[in-house]
Amino acid sequence: MKAIFLDFYGTVVHEDDDILPVIYEQIQAAARVECTTAEIGDFWWKAFSEMCYASHGSQFTTQRVLNVQSLTATLRHFQADGVAELLLNQEQLAHWRDPGIFEDSIPFLQSIDIPVYILSNIDTDDVRAAMEKHGIEAAGVITSEDVRSYKPRPEMFNEALARYDLSRHDVIHIGDSLTSDVQGAQNAGIQAVWLNRKGKTKPLHIHPEYVCRDLTEVLKLL
């Protein structure tokens, strides 16, 4: 193994999981149709995911813009017209620049003696701010904004291989998303480690080469 490709949010630093339920509750309170917070969360995530997958090349849109667009679609769907989307997501957007960090992340990065490259579905300025906040250094960083495409599409993986002069057999990708990270890497011909920090049940149709509960377990694997 000559290098590691590493996802960032949900893998190195925390996702915005604690912020989202508060937004769902605000939408539910303003909705003119009966709905649960789970239904709101499912609709928003589906809308956001579909927008991300359709966003590539000349049609690319940054994640901050897609966040607002998908939230607007969610408010419209649940007829929550009295809620201002530009106010709802401010804490979420701030989190992307200042997330909490998992306690095993820095020890993991300090223990690796081969190059680690961050591959993240995020706007470049946000991930750079989060890395600076926690003193995280990497051999390189490639974002969706850099390649005008989002994982699981192959552009980010292919760009990383080309930019850092690596073959598909030289690297392994580590990430917490079965779709973006595991299937995305595998579709690009790269082996994947599913970082299952939350103890989720793996669906039958996705087969990561390795499954680890945290980055400490990944170290033992490497």
Side-chain angles (χ1 to χ4, degrees), residues 18-172:
D18 294 335
I19 297 168
L20 294 176
V22 178
I23 300 176
Y24 303 156
E25 289 170 2
Q26 291 176 283
I27 296 173
Q28 183 188 38
R32 296 203 304 271
V33 298
E34 187 174 343
C35 58
T36 66
T37 55
E39 289 170 336
I40 293 167
D42 289 345
F43 184 92
W44 189 9
W45 176 247
K46 184 173 185 292
F48 179 72
S49 298
E50 290 175 351
M51 288 180 183
C52 283
Y53 195 78
S55 172
H56 60 93
S58 61
Q59 303 300 313
F60 177 78
T61 306
T62 64
Q63 183 157 284
R64 281 181 170 254
V65 173
L66 292 180
N67 177 272
V68 174
Q69 290 178 349
S70 58
L71 179 56
T72 299
T74 303
L75 293 172
R76 186 183 306 119
H77 178 80
F78 292 103
Q79 298 179 31
D81 304 326
V83 178
E85 64 270 24
L86 295 179
L87 296 177
L88 271 182
N89 66 348
Q90 291 308 298
E91 187 177 355
Q92 182 187 22
L93 299 183
H95 169 89
W96 294 351
R97 301 178 64 82
D98 187 14
I101 188 168
F102 293 108
E103 62 181 16
D104 56 350
S105 295
I106 297 298
F108 173 80
L109 291 168
Q110 292 176 339
S111 299
I112 298 297
D113 57 3
I114 56 176
V116 175
Y117 301 100
I118 302 291
L119 274 58
S120 180
N121 278 355
I122 193 67
D123 301 345
T124 302
D125 190 56
D126 286 333
V127 73
R128 291 290 188 183
M131 291 175 68
E132 183 177 356
K133 168 73 177 180
H134 293 291
I136 295 172
E137 296 182 358
V141 179
I142 299 180
T143 71
S144 48
E145 193 173 11
D146 292 328
V147 297
R148 302 183 66 79
S149 176
Y150 294 89
K151 299 178 289 183
R153 294 185 62 88
E155 287 88 343
M156 193 181 303
F157 299 102
N158 291 338
E159 173 63 21
L161 292 172
R163 185 182 299 186
Y164 305 120
D165 193 25
L166 296 163
S167 77
R168 304 179 194 282
H169 305 293
D170 289 336
V171 301
I172 194 165

